[in-house]
């Protein structure tokens, strides 16, 4: 049987609502992107262009990558429903310019990146019963950083209305993705990830803010032991059984974010 091919960047959302993940990535249900999600895509593309240029040793300013931001907003590769929320294209560009400038001036200089959105060596996971998952693609929106003393860690950029709170980047709920990226980085480069992960938050609502937060020990959630299974064991069970459980308490359980929402009998639409 052919392996299930899974993009590395989508893998962690399996552990938020597996039913939604199945809808999108196995059953092929799609919906247009929201303006704020497209703003996130535009900011991530521009910051990646900036960091890649710095990694190549080029002199670069935030202003130089503004066209990347603007192009992503004006010519998105996917459908965007600009009526989906209150954010207009013009406001999205203003917020994006602000966050891009602050990222380049306040955050990027703190780090020495050694990889930006690294393409990973595919990872085959045998679930038993002839079922195999292949995780592949790139570490989207992430960088690897070095501390100059042999240590390496993952930095993951997160944008959104709640990405920063009280001067710190929100880290809650991000450990599965960070753990997956750490394992993929190690398998791809052969180098151990020894530093804690940094979440770089880019808040897209109200007064735009940038801040960082730290996650330690994310890999332990993924990998099980004899005494206690890890998330990869739960994932293997889902693929082997074909049962992808719903999570109506997910903060993404909304017609705005879930392509399965309209037909899902588990959604909580009473609130
Ligand atoms: S509607 Fe809610 S419970 Fe159903 S698949 Fe979507 S996120 Fe999961």
């Amino acid at each position: 049987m052919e392996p299930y091919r899974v993009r590395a960047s989508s893998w962690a959302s399996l552990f938020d609502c597996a039913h939604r993940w199945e809808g999108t990535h196995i059953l092929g249900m799609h919906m247009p992107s929201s303006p704020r999600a497209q703003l996130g895509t535009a900011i991530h593309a521009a910051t990646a262009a900036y960091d890649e240029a710095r990694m190549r040793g080029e002199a670069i300013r935030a202003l130089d990558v503004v066209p990347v931001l603007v192009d992503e907003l004006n010519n998105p590769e996917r459908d965007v429903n600009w009526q989906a929320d209150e954010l207009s294209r013009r406001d999205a560009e203003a917020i994006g310019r602000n966050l891009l400038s602050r990222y380049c001036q306040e955050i990027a200089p703190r780090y020495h990146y050694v990889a930006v959105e690294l393409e990973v060596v595919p990872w085959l996971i045998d679930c038993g019963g002839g079922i195999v998952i292949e995780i592949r693609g790139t570490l989207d929106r992430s960088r690897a950083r070095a501390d100059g003393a042999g240590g390496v860690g993952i930095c993951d950029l997160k944008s959104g209305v709640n990405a920063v709170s009280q001067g710190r980047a929100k880290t809650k709920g991000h450990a599965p993705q960070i753990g997956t990226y750490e394992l993929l980085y190690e398998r791809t480069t052969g180098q151990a990830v020894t530093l804690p992960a940094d979440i770089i938050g880019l808040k897209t609502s109200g007064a735009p803010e940038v801040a960082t937060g730290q996650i330690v020990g994310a890999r332990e959630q993924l990998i099980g032991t004899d005494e206690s299974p890890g998330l990869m064991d739960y994932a293997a069970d889902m693929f082997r059984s074909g049962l992808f459980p719903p999570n109506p308490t997910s903060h993404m359980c909304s017609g705005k974010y879930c392509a399965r929402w309209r037909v899902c009998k588990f959604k909580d639409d009473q609130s």
Side-chain angles (χ1 to χ4, degrees):
M1 204 175 154
E2 282 286 297
Y4 284 99
R5 296 214 161 81
V6 177
R7 278 189 303 114
S9 53
S10 86
W11 181 243
S13 65
L14 175 70
F15 306 112
D16 179 29
C17 177
H19 211 55
R20 184 179 70 240
W21 189 93
E22 181 197 27
T24 302
H25 300 286
I26 295 184
L27 304 179
M29 297 172 164
H30 292 294
M31 62 185 299
S33 180
S34 71
R36 217 168 284 278
Q38 191 58 29
L39 169 60
T41 299
I43 295 169
H44 291 292
T47 54
Y50 180 83
D51 290 333
E52 279 166 356
R54 277 184 76 225
M55 245 178 42
R56 291 192 299 267
E58 296 169 13
I60 184 146
R61 303 163 304 165
L63 212 54
D64 298 326
V65 291
V66 166
V68 178
L69 175 98
V70 173
D71 188 50
E72 281 286 350
L73 289 172
N74 289 335
N75 306 297
E77 280 178 15
R78 54 189 178 175
D79 287 346
V80 178
N81 178 3
W82 287 99
Q83 273 70 52
D85 63 34
E86 75 296 345
L87 188 69
S88 69
R89 206 181 301 230
R90 179 186 290 192
D91 290 346
E93 184 178 324
I95 293 169
R97 282 174 179 264
N98 181 316
L99 288 172
L100 177 61
S101 157
R102 292 192 58 182
Y103 172 79
C104 296
Q105 286 169 20
E106 298 172 32
I107 304 289
R110 295 187 205 169
Y111 295 112
H112 173 66
Y113 294 136
V114 291
V116 176
E117 306 202 332
L118 179 76
E119 181 162 359
V120 298
V121 170
W123 178 13
L124 290 169
I125 299 160
D126 187 347
C127 304
I131 305 287
V132 175
I133 309 167
E134 181 182 310
I135 303 182
R136 58 193 304 156
T138 60
L139 304 188
D140 275 5
R141 305 183 172 190
S142 286
R143 289 92 172 103
R145 71 183 193 280
D147 64 358
V152 171
I154 298 294
C155 288
D156 198 14
L157 274 68
K158 297 287 184 198
S159 59
V161 291
N162 299 314
V164 176
S165 170
Q166 299 181 329
R168 289 183 56 79
K170 177 178 163 259
T171 57
K172 192 174 175 187
H174 296 321
Q177 179 157 24
I178 291 295
T180 305
Y181 279 8
E182 289 177 344
L183 292 167
L184 285 164
Y185 183 83
E186 291 183 346
R187 296 176 61 85
T188 300
T189 65
Q191 186 168 16
V193 172
T194 51
L195 303 176
D198 275 5
I199 300 292
I200 299 171
L202 305 159
K203 184 178 152 208
T204 58
S205 65
E209 280 182 73
V210 294
T212 58
Q214 213 163 63
I215 296 182
V216 179
R219 265 165 304 182
E220 277 81 82
Q221 288 196 14
L222 270 290
I223 303 298
T225 63
D226 288 345
E227 291 80 41
S228 116
L231 288 174
M232 299 308 277
D233 300 302
Y234 288 106
D237 265 358
M238 288 187 234
F239 280 84
R240 203 170 42 239
S241 66
L243 291 173
F244 293 85
N247 175 15
T249 64
S250 162
H251 75 282
M252 305 268 284
C253 188
S254 148
K256 261 191 193 176
Y257 308 117
C258 176
R260 202 168 190 169
W261 166 265
R262 201 174 47 79
V263 295
C264 177
K265 68 177 181 181
F266 305 107
K267 65 181 177 254
D268 180 358
D269 56 358
Q270 304 305 308
S271 53

